[in-house]
Every structure is written in C-alpha cells, then in structure tokens.
Amino acid sequence: MARPSSAEVHTLTPQIVGQAEKAHKPFLDVILGRTATTMNQWVALKVTATSGGAADRRQLQESIAGALRIDDAMALAAITELTTAGLLMDLPGETAHLELTAAGRKRYEQIDGAVREVLGRAYSDIPAEDLETAAWVLTVITNRLNTEQA
C-alpha cells in the first residue's frame, strides 16, 4: 500500500483515530465470538498472560476497568466469570492472586494467534519505524487526554 499524499491526509485527527479503532473492532468481535469470550474477559486474559501468567486480583481488576473504561464491578465480574469457567484460578493459599490455568493459557493463545494473524496482514507492508511513530504518537495523545480527564 502506498503512503497517502499530503493532499489526502493532512494531520492526525480524532476522526482518523476513531475510524482505525472501528476498523479493528469487527474482526476482534468475530474472533472473540468463536471462543464465547467477552471483551472484558479477553482483556483480563491478556493482562494476566502478559504479566507472566499471574496477577494480583485487585491490580487485574483495576487494569481491566482502566483499559475498558468500565466500573470495578464489571471488571470483577469478568474475573469471576473466568474463574468459574476454569480459565483463571486462585494461587494455592492466596485468594488475592490469580493465575491462568492450562485452559486459560490455551484460550489466550488461540485468541492472540488469530488477532496476530489478522493484524499481520493489515500492518504487513508498513515500515516498522512508521508503526513505532504511530504507537508513540497515540500513546502520547492517550496519556495527555487521560491526564486532562483526571
């Protein structure tokens, strides 16, 4: 894919960011639907998996709530659902800490692999330095807006 000319794209706008987010969501919904996993549950699995497979229950709840901008009760419900489904479990003797079960790790890897496959195709011909710049810019904007909101 060729880079758009400066006449086609002048600057990053909320509309462009929103359109990019909306373009990602349908494929993620399909992938999650195949595994009967909700978005809240997916974020809980991802945060736990990327934290080495274990997480503090309260920190996990806060991470889910913050990432999805949902209340603590909804985040806790996702954790409870995953625990009930056998995808997360309390560490032996420690109800404040959770870890992925073998089934939870399998579910995470299944979803993550499918997401990576789609994103690999979507991002494939974009130079790494451009992706790094885009990530940096979006992170700065997100942090500034979060600070502004607080």
Side-chain angles (χ1 to χ4, degrees):
M1 178 177 183
R3 182 187 285 272
S5 71
S6 60
E8 293 173 301
V9 177
H10 296 283
T11 188
L12 183 65
T13 65
Q15 180 182 6
I16 291 170
V17 173
Q19 289 171 341
E21 181 181 12
K22 286 181 177 94
H24 284 79
K25 189 172 179 340
F27 87 83
L28 183 57
D29 288 344
V30 168
I31 292 168
L32 294 177
R34 286 184 206 142
T35 61
T37 305
T38 67
M39 178 63 76
N40 297 1
Q41 292 168 348
W42 167 236
V43 171
L45 289 171
K46 186 165 186 68
V47 169
T48 306
T50 57
S51 298
D56 175 82
R57 183 182 298 271
R58 182 70 188 145
Q59 288 176 345
L60 179 58
Q61 181 180 345
E62 290 172 358
S63 293
I64 298 164
L68 296 171
R69 299 193 182 262
I70 59 175
D71 63 39
D72 283 348
M74 291 177 73
L76 183 58
I79 294 168
T80 301
E81 292 159 1
L82 292 170
T83 303
T84 301
L87 302 175
L88 284 177
M89 67 177 206
D90 292 316
L91 284 171
E94 296 186 50
T95 58
H97 291 85
L98 298 161
E99 70 178 353
L100 287 173
T101 63
R105 182 159 304 284
K106 182 177 177 183
R107 172 85 56 94
Y108 167 76
E109 289 170 355
Q110 178 184 8
I111 295 168
D112 188 60
V115 168
R116 286 178 187 270
E117 184 180 320
V118 172
L119 293 182
R121 290 191 302 270
Y123 297 10
S124 66
D125 61 350
I126 302 170
E129 58 273 8
D130 288 349
L131 292 172
E132 289 171 8
T133 299
W136 177 79
V137 168
L138 291 172
T139 300
V140 169
I141 290 168
T142 300
N143 289 340
R144 287 179 180 173
L145 290 171
N146 285 338
T147 299
E148 183 83 17
Q149 186 179 25

